[in-house]
Amino acid sequence: MEITVLDIQILKALHREVKEVSNLIAEMTTPYKALQQATKWLDQQEACQLLNISKRTLQTYRAKGILGATQINRKTYFRLSEVELIMQGERPLKKQKK
């Protein structure tokens, strides 16, 4: 077993630097926290469970423009607010014929 001994001054300096980096990260992400909290995102499984539909039906809703989606890498996300509109019946599931 190997034991490493650090001088207390080096340890305090390291602690200060880590704290500074933590403060910088908090400062940089502050403007985005409100946006993140304002928009709740659901993945496919969560959206299907709330709407009580299959993944294929959810894909059909996306293709027809009934439900918007955002894709990050290979994962698809849906806004909770849009899913709630469909659940409340405020969004038509079929396009109206003229």
Side-chain angles (χ1 to χ4, degrees):
M1 176 172 19
E2 185 177 324
I3 298 175
T4 304
V5 179
L6 291 175
D7 185 20
I8 190 76
Q9 294 169 340
I10 294 173
L11 189 59
K12 285 181 181 180
L14 180 62
H15 184 265
R16 276 192 309 271
E17 288 181 27
V18 168
K19 203 169 203 168
E20 286 176 20
V21 169
S22 176
N23 290 339
L24 283 172
I25 290 171
E27 185 180 316
M28 289 170 49
T29 58
T30 298
Y32 303 103
K33 289 201 188 269
L35 178 63
Q36 181 182 13
Q37 291 173 351
T39 306
K40 170 75 173 131
W41 295 91
L42 306 172
D43 63 12
Q44 279 187 349
Q45 183 177 356
E46 293 169 326
C48 286
Q49 287 174 344
L50 282 176
L51 294 170
N52 197 24
I53 59 174
S54 68
K55 286 184 179 183
R56 181 62 202 145
T57 303
L58 187 65
Q59 175 62 31
T60 302
Y61 287 1
R62 281 183 57 207
K64 289 184 176 183
I66 296 169
L67 183 62
T70 298
Q71 198 165 9
I72 300 174
N73 291 331
R74 293 183 180 175
K75 193 153 179 160
T76 306
Y77 296 95
F78 303 88
R79 281 193 178 102
L80 176 60
S81 57
E82 290 186 20
V83 172
E84 287 174 339
L85 287 176
I86 291 174
M87 290 170 57
Q88 295 167 0
E90 295 179 22
R91 270 224 173 129
L93 297 180
K94 295 183 179 178
K95 292 188 177 180
Q96 302 293 328
K97 292 185 179 180
K98 293 182 180 181

